[in-house]
Amino acid sequence: MINRLLDFLNASPVNFLAARNLAAELERHGYRRINPCEPIGKIAVGDKLYATKNDSSVYAFEIGQKPMAESGFHIICAHCDSPTFRIKPNPEITCEGGIVKLNTEVYGGPIMSTWFDRPLTIAGRVIVRGEDPFSPETRLLHVKRPLLQISNLAIHFNREVNDGVKLSKQKDMLPILGIINGELEKGNMLINIIIEELSKEKEVKKEDILDFDLYLADASPACTFGAHDEFISSGRLDDLSMCYAGLEALLHSETSDTTKVLAIFDNEETGSQTKQGAASPFLASLLQRIATAQSGTTEAFHQAVERAFMVSADNAHAWHPNYSEKYDPTNHPVLGGGPVVKFNAAQKYASDAVSAAVFAEICKKAGVPCQRFVNHSDVAGGSTLGNILASSLPLRGVDMGNAILAMHSCRETGSVNDHTFCVKAFTQFYNA
């Protein structure tokens, strides 16, 4: 099971590739892609459907044995974006000696220092001219070799580096791409790489490349480590590990009375306020259309929402043995201790006593441990999908996740056992 997760992480350096890989797995297991531009059509018991938005979010549905108005929805939601650096338009900056660096901007909230002195690559999507100007072709890109590096300044020029240094997003975080080799390469180094990579699949010309959404990614593969290989080391555990746990549970759960839903959103790291984010009405629209197609009335959708339960799956903070003072004294989950229910008095999380009790019972029936997380009262925390989604869909639900260390680092640390526990809990949730 853990090797499948590692393979997924390695194949999904950015949101677009994660969404493609999730969709490919759904199709391999009999899910039919629906086009939101077209009528949903008739819905039958056992139908397996999925849709995408913006090439970066995925929504899968398995129609339950009972009408949705009677049994509701069982929804697992997660997000496929992670903090990184976006490559700006016109990105090449030529420096002394012909060295080329790329102009970037921060996406989300990365721990910037962790991106220094490690092999990086680029991945994302490239927009290519098509026959219809309103429907250009989208080509996904993943350069599968070390391509760039953000290098530190030597300690000899920065004697205070180990005392803490304030980093400039514009000055310090620009990666080195290469050294110009000939006049024709000046200003064209990145585009030449893009053309070379895309042409491996299908030839593309420079004049047909209209734009791109490209990001930096760690080029080192995900792996396990520890005395017993009990830990996972990888970029993007937050939140691809939850996406994949949800997918595994959906694909391997039993036939259920309740309609199962897996919603993988984009842009959680920047607030979810996009057409493919959790604040979008897109999921609600799909649910309403599917419920209406089954019943012939929108009343069924509203009944189904009232009977629904949502698991908002986003990683939690594991207790760090070097910084115990940062954690709540009685609610600090540990690596390997099982899924974590998250609480917040300011309603940054959707969990309450009722939904937490429901999820704890699901874990108990699945035979896995369950932990709880509350912020240290003097340490501000973040928010996640659950409360954002519940503000537009009045869903009963819980915010949870697996505990990890170094959240938002270029490489985060998780637990092998926790991944297994989470898949079991999610499978039990879909089976219930």
Side-chain angles (χ1 to χ4, degrees), residues 101-415:
K101 62 182 180 181
L102 295 184
N103 195 8
T104 64
E105 60 179 329
V106 170
Y107 177 89
I111 304 176
M112 295 195 297
S113 61
T114 63
W115 287 77
F116 283 107
D117 303 322
R118 65 171 67 242
L120 305 173
T121 189
I122 59 172
R125 67 177 176 182
V126 179
I127 309 304
V128 178
R129 180 176 285 109
E131 295 182 4
D132 182 354
F134 286 97
S135 300
E137 182 183 352
T138 296
R139 302 280 297 275
L140 299 188
L141 177 73
H142 179 193
V143 180
K144 296 180 180 179
R145 66 179 178 91
L147 186 64
L148 314 103
Q149 184 165 295
I150 304 172
S151 292
N152 253 306
L153 182 65
I155 193 171
H156 309 80
F157 302 128
N158 187 8
R159 296 289 183 179
E160 294 78 36
V161 66
N162 292 325
D163 299 324
V165 173
K166 183 175 176 59
L167 296 172
S168 165
K169 297 174 183 178
Q170 183 63 65
K171 176 181 173 60
D172 297 309
M173 307 311 299
L174 306 187
I176 297 171
L177 177 61
I179 298 176
I180 292 173
N181 185 16
E183 190 64 28
L184 290 177
E185 202 170 35
K186 189 173 183 179
N188 294 306
M189 187 176 289
L190 178 62
I191 199 70
N192 289 346
I193 292 169
I194 293 172
I195 292 170
E196 179 184 355
E197 290 292 324
L198 292 182
S199 294
K200 291 177 181 178
E201 178 185 335
K202 177 183 174 183
E203 185 178 3
V204 62
K205 298 178 182 179
K206 179 180 178 180
E207 58 268 24
D208 290 331
I209 295 177
L210 303 177
D211 216 324
F212 55 74
D213 292 312
L214 295 176
Y215 299 84
L216 305 189
D218 184 11
S220 303
C223 65
T224 57
F225 73 99
H228 311 289
D229 275 328
E230 61 265 60
F231 302 118
I232 306 169
S233 173
S234 175
R236 308 173 305 284
L237 286 177
D238 177 28
D239 193 33
L240 291 187
S241 61
M242 295 291 94
C243 295
Y244 198 69
L247 178 72
E248 291 248 293
L250 179 66
L251 298 181
H252 299 107
S253 55
E254 301 169 358
T255 300
S256 172
D257 288 343
T258 305
T259 293
K260 307 172 194 174
V261 182
L262 178 66
I264 306 300
F265 297 104
D266 191 12
N267 305 130
E268 190 276 341
E269 300 294 356
T270 56
S272 297
Q273 302 292 321
T274 62
K275 61 187 179 297
Q276 59 274 0
S280 165
F282 187 68
L283 175 61
S285 172
L286 284 177
L287 291 173
Q288 181 169 346
R289 292 171 68 181
I290 289 171
T292 303
Q294 183 188 64
S295 68
T297 170
T298 57
E299 180 64 24
F301 162 69
H302 298 292
Q303 289 178 268
V305 168
E306 293 304 315
R307 289 186 165 93
F309 194 91
M310 168 193 63
V311 174
S312 168
D314 198 357
N315 289 104
H317 297 291
W319 178 79
H320 196 305
N322 294 345
Y323 304 99
S324 60
E325 72 278 3
K326 293 293 185 179
Y327 297 83
D328 183 77
T330 61
N331 296 281
H332 47 264
V334 296
L335 291 171
V340 179
V341 176
K342 302 188 286 187
F343 294 89
N344 184 269
Q347 306 302 305
K348 294 291 184 70
Y349 301 132
S351 309
D352 56 27
V354 174
S355 62
V358 170
F359 187 77
E361 282 297 295
I362 289 168
C363 289
K364 184 178 180 180
K365 288 184 178 181
V368 305
C370 182
Q371 308 182 86
R372 298 192 172 202
F373 171 82
V374 184
N375 280 308
H376 187 291
S377 296
D378 294 329
V379 178
S383 61
T384 186
L385 301 163
N387 62 325
I388 294 173
L389 185 59
S391 66
S392 58
L393 267 175
L395 296 165
R396 184 172 57 141
V398 65
D399 267 303
M400 56 72 62
N402 278 345
I404 63 172
L405 293 174
M407 187 179 289
H408 289 199
S409 171
C410 190
R411 288 186 79 88
E412 298 158 327
T413 298
S415 161

